Amino acid sequence: MEEIQSSKNKGEAVCWSHLGKIYKQESLPFSKLKVGDVVITDKKDISNELYEHYMEQFQPPSLDLTNINDMEIMKEFKEILKGLSTSTDEVEVTNTSEIKNAIRSIRPKKSAEFDNISNFIIKRLPPGYIQGLGNCFNLWLEECRMPNEWKLAKIITLNKLKGGVSKCDQTCPISLLATHSKLYEKILLTRIRSWAESNHIIPKEQSGFRPNCLIPTRVLSIYQEVLNNMAANSPTLSIYFDYQKACDKVWHAALIVKFSRVNIPFTLLKTIWFWLSMREAVVVYEELSTRKFTISIGLPQGSCLSSYLFIVFHSDIVKQTGAFSTHIFSDDLNVLISAPLEKKLEPMLQFLELEGTKVSYSAEKQKLYNLTMSSTVNQMDQERKRSQAPATVKRVDGASTNIGDSQDHVHFTDGSALKRDGTWKHGPERNLSREERKWLIDKHGWTSPAKK
C-alpha cells in the first residue's frame, strides 16, 4: 500500500499492478501424477496419462438417438455443409492499417507461442512484412480458410492443487496457439462482431467479451437493483447459473446450425467452420511432447474468436428468464426476481420460490440445448478403469440400435442400470448416492433421475 500511495501515478492501473502481485496465485510444478490409487513419477508415464486424459476430453459428443433436437440439428448441419461446399462468396478483405491496429491491440509479451514467435517480436515487424501479411490474409479471406498449420495447439498442463499429488482432472490445460493466427482471428472477429452488433444479436444484458461492456458495470447494476428493492421492502431472489467448462463443451454442429438460423452471412459461416474443424493438439510435459490428437468439441482456448462466438451462441438464453431482470457475466448468468408487495412475507417468499423454480428449469433446458454437456461413453469407461468413477459403477455401455438400446447407460454393482435421460433401464430404482450424482450429473451432464 505504501508503494501505491507514494506513486506519482494515481490511476487505477498502478493499484491493480501492485495488488496483482499479491493476489496472483502461482501454479506449482508437479513431478508426480495420481492414477487411481497409484502414484506415477516417470516422465514418460505422466506424459502418456495426460495425453489419454485430454484426448478423451475432446472426443466427439455422443448423440441421443431418441432426442428430437439432436437429430434435427444433425440433419440441418449436414444440409448446411452441402451449401458451404458450393459457396463461392468472399469475406471482406483487410488492409495494412487494420493489421497494424490488430498488432497494437496485443500485449507485448516476450513469451513465445507455439510457433516460437512472441507478441514482442510481432510488434517490431517492418512495414514490408505487414504488407506481406495483408496479401496472405486477403487470399485466405477470399477463400474462407486459414493455414492448417495454425490449427495445431500445444497444451501445457498446470497444477491446480497447492499441495499433494494431483490427478489428471486436477490439472489445468493452457493452450498455446500460433501468434500469426491470433492476428488473423482479430481481423475475422471485427467482421463477425460488426454483423452481430448491427443485427442486435447480442442482448444488452451481456457484459464481458464486448467493447465498452465491462463486467464491473454489470455488478454495480445488480447491486443498485437489490438496494432499490430493499428500500421498497421487497425481497429479492438472486439465481446464478454457471457453465461447467463452457467453451470446452460447445457442440460444433449445434454452433453452426445456430449461426445459420440467425442468418449470419454464408461467407462468415464458411470461414468459422473451416477455422473450427480439423483442429489438433499435442500435450507437452517438460521436454516431452505427445502424439497429435483431434479436437472434435469445444472452442479453441486462447483465441479471441472463441469468447465472442460463445456469447453469440447462447445469446437467446435471456428469453428463458421471462420478464425478470437478467445479467450475463461473460459466460455466467444471473437472474434477479423481486416479489410483488404483500402485507405478509410468506406469500412473497412463495412467489419467489415458484418463479425461481420456473426460471431455473427454463434456463437449464436452454443451456443443455445449446451445449453438449455430456461426455463420451469411452471417456467415462476409461475413468472407471482408472478408479476415477464411483466404486458402485460396474460399466458404461453406449447406445446400440442393433440390440434396442437407444441411449447410453451405466450399470451399477447392485444390478441396476440408468439411462442418460435419467430413466432406469432395469434393476432396483433408487436414489443416486452423492458420489454417483457428482460423477454422472455434475461432471458428465446426465439427467438426474426422479427422487424416490
Side-chain angles (χ1 to χ4, degrees):
M1 292 301 295
E2 291 180 359
E3 291 184 34
I4 296 174
Q5 292 174 346
S6 61
S7 174
K8 295 181 180 179
N9 185 354
K10 299 302 180 182
E12 64 175 351
V14 66
C15 175
W16 290 115
S17 65
H18 286 285
L19 291 180
K21 299 175 184 177
I22 300 173
Y23 292 108
K24 184 177 180 181
Q25 296 182 352
E26 294 186 1
S27 176
L28 297 175
F30 63 96
S31 57
K32 300 178 182 179
L33 197 65
K34 192 172 184 180
V35 181
D37 297 327
V38 180
V39 176
I40 57 176
T41 57
D42 183 74
K43 291 183 180 180
K44 186 67 175 178
D45 293 339
I46 293 176
S47 178
N48 290 337
E49 283 296 327
L50 292 173
Y51 168 80
E52 292 291 336
H53 174 74
Y54 287 109
M55 182 183 66
E56 292 163 8
Q57 292 290 319
F58 296 106
Q59 289 291 313
S62 55
L63 299 179
D64 184 353
L65 301 179
T66 63
N67 189 302
I68 298 177
N69 287 330
D70 284 4
M71 296 300 101
E72 181 183 342
I73 287 174
M74 285 307 301
K75 181 180 178 180
E76 192 171 343
F77 174 65
K78 292 176 182 178
E79 292 297 323
I80 292 172
L81 290 189
K82 291 180 182 178
L84 293 181
S85 62
T86 59
S87 174
T88 57
D89 296 335
E90 300 174 0
V91 181
E92 177 191 353
V93 296
T94 185
N95 52 56
T96 55
S97 177
E98 185 179 17
I99 296 175
K100 288 179 181 178
N101 289 334
I103 293 175
R104 291 192 195 100
S105 67
I106 62 177
R107 297 178 180 178
K109 298 188 301 181
K110 293 187 178 181
S111 56
E113 296 289 349
F114 185 50
D115 52 1
N116 294 322
I117 299 175
S118 66
N119 291 355
F120 184 81
I121 295 176
I122 289 290
K123 281 183 168 290
R124 282 153 180 77
L125 292 176
Y129 191 92
I130 296 177
Q131 181 64 50
L133 275 182
N135 295 335
C136 293
F137 285 0
N138 284 333
L139 175 63
W140 298 328
L141 288 172
E142 290 172 0
E143 298 177 354
C144 300
R145 67 178 183 90
M146 63 182 287
N148 287 325
E149 291 78 9
W150 289 357
K151 295 185 179 184
L152 181 64
K154 180 168 69 174
I155 297 178
I156 297 176
T157 53
L158 302 179
N159 188 6
K160 289 183 180 179
L161 300 183
K162 295 182 179 180
V165 181
S166 60
K167 299 180 180 179
C168 284
D169 57 2
Q170 293 172 324
T171 60
C172 177
I174 301 297
S175 181
L176 300 181
L177 306 174
T179 306
H180 284 83
S181 71
K182 294 183 178 181
L183 292 179
Y184 183 71
E185 288 164 4
K186 283 182 176 291
I187 302 300
L188 187 57
L189 175 61
T190 58
R191 284 136 183 80
I192 297 174
R193 181 183 288 155
S194 175
W195 159 77
E197 300 293 344
S198 61
N199 287 277
H200 308 288
I201 302 296
I202 309 297
K204 64 181 185 299
E205 294 87 354
Q206 174 74 55
S207 292
F209 304 145
R210 301 173 68 192
N212 305 318
C213 296
L214 301 178
I215 291 179
T217 305
R218 183 62 53 185
V219 174
L220 289 175
S221 64
I222 293 176
Y223 176 71
Q224 186 61 51
E225 186 173 343
V226 173
L227 282 182
N228 293 342
N229 291 339
M230 291 176 63
N233 293 324
S234 175
T236 303
L237 173 64
S238 181
I239 306 176
Y240 289 89
F241 300 87
D242 178 53
Y243 287 102
Q244 185 183 26
K245 296 182 179 180
C247 290
D248 292 341
K249 292 294 184 179
V250 173
W251 182 17
H252 292 174
L255 183 139
I256 295 299
V257 169
K258 189 74 166 286
F259 274 62
S260 176
R261 290 178 179 178
V262 293
N263 298 318
I264 188 173
F266 227 50
T267 52
L268 290 178
L269 187 62
K270 184 177 181 179
T271 308
I272 291 172
W273 173 240
F274 192 94
W275 168 80
L276 193 59
S277 60
M278 298 182 294
R279 300 194 76 95
E280 295 180 317
V282 296
V283 179
V284 177
Y285 175 71
E286 295 192 1
E287 72 277 5
L288 300 177
S289 296
T290 66
R291 304 185 304 276
K292 297 178 184 179
F293 61 87
T294 303
I295 298 178
S296 303
I297 192 172
L299 299 172
Q301 185 192 56
S303 169
C304 62
L305 264 183
S306 297
S307 303
Y308 197 80
L309 291 181
F310 182 82
I311 65 174
V312 175
F313 185 44
H314 80 149
S315 58
D316 56 352
I317 197 169
V318 295
K319 298 178 182 178
Q320 307 301 319
T321 61
F324 300 113
S325 177
T326 305
H327 307 271
I328 308 177
F329 302 85
S330 301
D331 55 358
D332 297 323
L333 174 69
N334 168 257
V335 181
L336 293 178
I337 303 176
S338 57
L341 293 177
E342 299 279 353
K343 291 183 178 180
K344 295 184 178 180
L345 179 62
E346 186 176 352
M348 292 191 286
L349 295 180
Q350 290 176 350
F351 173 86
L352 293 178
E353 182 178 0
L354 176 62
E355 295 301 322
T357 302
K358 291 179 182 178
V359 169
S360 298
Y361 175 78
S362 298
E364 181 70 15
K365 184 178 180 181
Q366 182 67 22
K367 180 187 74 172
L368 292 175
Y369 179 74
N370 280 346
L371 301 178
T372 296
M373 302 299 288
S374 57
S375 304
T376 63
V377 171
N378 179 58
Q379 176 186 338
M380 296 174 69
D381 208 44
Q382 287 295 325
E383 290 183 9
R384 179 190 62 81
K385 293 177 181 177
R386 295 175 181 171
S387 301
Q388 296 173 350
T392 54
V393 175
K394 185 177 181 180
R395 72 174 191 273
V396 184
D397 292 340
S400 175
T401 54
N402 295 332
I403 58 175
D405 287 330
S406 59
Q407 292 187 47
D408 303 334
H409 48 279
V410 58
H411 292 263
F412 296 98
T413 53
D414 63 358
S416 60
L418 181 68
K419 297 180 182 179
R420 186 181 287 275
D421 66 355
T423 59
W424 292 93
K425 183 181 179 184
H426 58 69
E429 298 184 6
R430 58 179 177 81
N431 292 327
L432 296 179
S433 68
R434 183 178 180 182
E435 188 179 15
E436 290 169 345
R437 291 182 64 85
K438 186 176 180 180
W439 186 70
L440 275 173
I441 300 166
D442 297 341
K443 184 175 182 180
H444 293 296
W446 286 41
T447 302
S448 175
K451 291 186 177 181
K452 301 298 178 183

